[in-house]
Amino acid sequence: MSRWSLLKATLFYHWRANLAVGLGVVAATAVITGALVVGDSVQTSLLDMHLDRLGQVDMAVGGRDRFVREDLAAELQAAIGSGAKVAPLMMMRGSLETGGSESVGARTGMRVGGVMVYGVDSRFWDLTQHGNLPVPAPGEVVLSEGVAAELGSRVSVGQQVRLWMELPNAIPRDTLLGERDDDTIDMVLDVKGVVGPDDPVARRGVGRFDLNPSQQLPKLAFVALETLQETLVLNKRRVRNREQRRFDNYPARVNSLVVAGGTPQAVSDALTQTLSLEDLGLSLRKLEKHGYVALESNRMVLDDTIVAAAGSLPGQSRVLVHLANRLSNAEDPSRYSMYSIVGGLVPEQVAAAPFGPFAGGGSDDVMSDLPDDSIVINRWLADDLGLERGGRLTMTYHLVGSHGELPEEQRTFRVHAVTELTGPADDRGLTPHVPGITDVRTFRDWRQPFKMDLDALTQRDDDYWDEFRATPKAFVTYKTATEMWQSRYGTATSLRMAVDPGDAVARKEVREVIEQGIDLSSLGLSVQPVKQHGVRAASGTTPFSGLFIGFSFFLIGAATILIG
């Protein structure tokens, strides 16, 4: 018998067992092939979902609580080159309510919270897959499928909805001068479009737009950028500065930029090149009377990274000011002064012009040997409280708690010296410009950051404010000031630099040094390759194909054991 004859006879004799083995092989092959197909299909679906959601958007720049100039988009696009496109974008959280103007006070409409509100224009719209949906015009809104699903049949094209949002505040809410009231703004908008099944392109694209990879159906509302800026007072405008008797021009602002094209490194380099102090809410204030310039922030406090960026510049003076509720004579509390500015200075930095010296009491520099537990007061305060060198002053002031509460603290200082209210001591520039506070005529005109005891104000308080405004009445060492008043946002309210305010070239050099030295990532303004991150997230750390193959082998092994 030949070998082939033996093989045929064996197969024929054991045909039942061989048939079972053959069918098992076919089944196992089908299972494994199916596992590979399903695993690859899941990854492909996640990847397609991410790419459709972002459209042409490759990268994003944004800090949510920092608002850069809208014009930065065009400047960044020109700096990147290579056909890149940059679009400004506003991103805010809000709530929507059906009923439009008819729902005011009625509470009859359906409401949906946690809505991501995007302020957009044609530049952004052109980068997305929007299908037949037009870009919203001023006063209009386009709603996503997620919003429509919660509002149900109560919302459709042509109806009105009310959009509620919290007003952004340049000064952080958990600082002394930050707004603590939950100020909200609402606007009535006409529904221009609703993303739905009838427009599959928009449904996969702009209807799911999100800079963070997610498989959840997002709740989105697209509003005209112009409308959002005007409502939040972030539009281009001209405002009178009563403190410096001039008009200030404010550019239109956004809190995000999206980029199509280019590489992360190229965009990052272009951002460093084009970003200005104004984009970070910073300004170089010219103090001609005292011969220096001061770096200030619209957040009232300078971030430590910003102060560090100016570290190489010579001739500096750090300042940390705070609002004291009451300064009083420790021996005679009936003699007091309300709502006074107290400045923290580094004695060595105010020993010479243009920041010093502070003269008084027969001494040319009363700050030079100021102990950390003592205080220097100006002549006005000394006369007001009946204090001289060696007396004791009690300072009452607010601290900011971890939850924004304002506990009142007291500390008593020994009066180290009395400085004359002339020269460096008569300097309004020690206190940063704060709209609604430093530029008003009386205390009663203040935009009150907390409940103030206006009934306790004296005529002397009003007289001082009328003549000297926010000029500090007292000074402690910078070390003492930071121990009492530093916050998580920074340890200086201004950084003064010995630069001739009339020298445009010198001011430009200072500006360039600071702009080039700032670590943007620490300010939340780094370039985020969102498309790249999404692709990695879709791939996952464990391949789906391997996962399903593992399940398949488990099933095959279990079946083999059961058969055996």
Side-chain angles (χ1 to χ4, degrees):
M1 179 179 289
S2 68
R3 184 179 301 174
W4 286 108
S5 298
L6 179 62
L7 179 59
K8 289 179 181 180
T10 302
L11 290 175
F12 180 77
Y13 186 78
H14 299 288
W15 69 271
R16 293 181 179 83
N18 291 333
L19 179 61
V21 171
L23 292 175
V25 171
V26 171
T29 303
V31 169
I32 293 174
T33 303
L36 291 172
V37 171
V38 171
D40 185 66
S41 175
V42 171
Q43 286 187 334
T44 302
S45 297
L46 291 176
L47 180 60
D48 289 344
M49 180 187 299
H50 174 67
L51 297 178
D52 290 340
R53 175 171 55 228
L54 290 179
Q56 299 179 47
V57 174
D58 295 312
M59 286 159 278
V61 180
R64 291 291 178 90
D65 62 335
R66 292 186 183 273
F67 292 83
V68 300
R69 294 173 299 118
E70 181 185 335
D71 292 339
L72 179 62
E75 297 170 9
L76 184 61
Q77 179 172 307
I80 300 171
S82 303
K85 296 180 181 179
V86 181
L89 182 66
M90 188 86 81
M91 299 173 59
M92 304 287 293
R93 286 287 179 186
S95 300
L96 281 168
E97 182 178 341
T98 60
S101 57
E102 299 174 358
S103 66
V104 178
R107 295 291 181 184
T108 57
M110 289 285 292
R111 197 169 191 178
V112 54
V115 177
M116 177 59 74
V117 182
Y118 291 108
V120 302
D121 61 11
S122 59
R123 288 171 289 182
F124 170 82
W125 212 245
D126 291 341
L127 299 181
T128 65
Q129 296 185 21
H130 54 266
N132 299 320
L133 285 175
V135 61
E140 296 178 343
V141 62
V142 173
L143 304 176
S144 73
E145 191 174 7
V147 172
E150 292 206 20
L151 295 180
S153 60
R154 297 198 178 199
V155 62
S156 60
V157 176
Q159 292 183 330
Q160 288 186 329
V161 293
R162 292 177 66 83
L163 173 62
W164 305 73
M165 291 180 299
E166 185 177 303
L167 278 173
N169 188 22
I171 302 176
R173 296 182 184 278
D174 53 344
T175 58
L176 181 62
L177 299 184
E179 291 281 359
R180 278 167 182 77
D181 296 331
D182 293 330
D183 288 339
T184 57
I185 193 75
D186 67 280
M187 65 184 92
V188 177
L189 301 168
D190 297 320
V191 178
K192 180 67 174 180
V194 178
V195 177
D198 57 331
D199 194 341
V201 175
R203 193 183 191 189
R204 295 193 310 269
V206 72
R208 299 185 66 96
F209 182 81
D210 194 345
L211 295 178
N212 299 309
S214 174
Q215 282 75 55
Q216 296 182 347
L217 190 63
K219 294 181 287 187
L220 312 177
F222 296 93
V223 182
L225 179 60
E226 176 186 338
T227 299
L228 212 53
Q229 288 172 328
E230 289 180 357
T231 304
L232 301 177
V233 199
L234 293 170
N235 56 316
K236 185 177 182 180
R237 63 199 189 282
R238 193 165 182 256
V239 179
R240 182 182 179 185
N241 186 328
R242 288 175 289 183
E243 180 185 13
Q244 300 184 22
R245 298 179 180 179
R246 69 177 191 221
F247 283 92
D248 292 333
N249 294 312
Y250 290 87
R253 292 187 175 273
V254 295
N255 61 356
S256 300
L257 303 172
V258 290
V259 184
T263 63
Q265 187 60 50
V267 176
S268 181
D269 293 342
L271 183 63
T272 302
Q273 174 187 338
T274 55
L275 199 74
S276 68
L277 295 183
E278 288 74 19
D279 291 313
L280 301 173
L282 303 175
S283 62
L284 282 177
R285 183 178 175 188
K286 296 186 294 183
L287 282 303
E288 288 89 351
K289 178 181 177 181
H290 296 277
Y292 68 85
V293 296
L295 179 64
E296 298 178 357
S297 170
N298 63 359
R299 297 164 67 90
M300 181 64 186
V301 180
L302 292 172
D303 295 85
D304 289 337
T305 187
I306 293 174
V307 176
S312 62
L313 294 169
Q316 297 184 8
S317 170
R318 289 192 185 189
V319 183
L320 177 59
V321 297
H322 197 79
L323 177 64
N325 297 343
R326 181 188 295 249
L327 300 176
S328 60
N329 187 325
E331 309 300 333
D332 183 7
S334 64
R335 304 192 69 168
Y336 64 86
S337 179
M338 296 296 293
Y339 303 115
S340 306
I341 303 296
V342 179
L345 302 172
V346 180
E348 296 79 11
Q349 295 178 348
V350 295
F355 311 126
F358 288 68
S363 172
D364 292 333
D365 186 5
V366 299
M367 295 290 294
S368 61
D369 57 347
L370 174 63
D372 292 331
D373 61 350
S374 299
I375 193 169
V376 170
I377 61 177
N378 65 24
R379 173 53 60 188
W380 181 290
L381 184 63
D383 294 344
D384 199 13
L385 305 187
L387 286 171
E388 291 295 338
R389 177 184 172 89
R392 294 170 65 243
L393 176 146
T394 298
M395 182 190 305
T396 305
Y397 57 93
H398 280 310
L399 288 180
V400 181
S402 58
H403 300 289
E405 67 275 16
L406 296 174
E408 197 169 62
E409 302 287 331
Q410 273 193 355
R411 182 165 176 174
T412 299
F413 295 87
R414 183 181 67 84
V415 177
H416 176 69
V418 177
T419 183
E420 298 304 321
L421 193 46
T422 58
D426 179 18
D427 185 0
R428 298 185 185 185
L430 287 163
T431 304
H433 172 63
V434 182
I437 295 181
T438 60
D439 58 351
V440 298
R441 295 183 180 276
T442 69
F443 284 106
R444 289 164 179 79
D445 297 328
W446 275 31
R447 173 190 56 77
Q448 295 188 25
F450 48 84
K451 187 176 181 180
M452 298 173 61
D453 187 4
L454 298 179
D455 293 335
L457 289 169
T458 67
Q459 185 59 48
R460 291 275 294 173
D461 295 328
D462 288 330
D463 292 343
Y464 187 89
W465 185 264
D466 185 56
E467 185 172 353
F468 299 103
R469 287 292 192 272
T471 302
K473 292 182 181 178
F475 303 92
V476 296
T477 63
Y478 181 77
K479 178 182 177 182
T480 299
T482 54
E483 289 174 353
M484 293 193 298
W485 306 317
Q486 71 173 337
S487 72
R488 64 189 180 93
Y489 297 101
T491 55
T493 49
S494 63
L495 181 65
R496 302 186 295 171
M497 289 163 283
V499 174
D500 182 1
D503 189 340
V505 175
R507 293 201 316 273
K508 182 180 179 182
E509 291 176 353
V510 168
R511 173 183 288 270
E512 290 175 348
V513 168
I514 298 173
E515 290 174 348
Q516 297 300 316
I518 293 176
D519 178 12
L520 297 181
S521 61
S522 65
L523 301 179
L525 286 173
S526 58
V527 177
Q528 298 295 327
V530 291
K531 183 170 288 185
Q532 206 174 88
H533 290 167
V535 170
R536 290 175 183 170
S539 300
T541 55
T542 302
F544 285 103
S545 299
L547 183 64
F548 283 113
I549 286 177
F551 288 150
S552 301
F553 277 120
F554 173 77
L555 292 174
I556 293 170
T560 302
I561 293 173
L562 290 174
I563 293 173

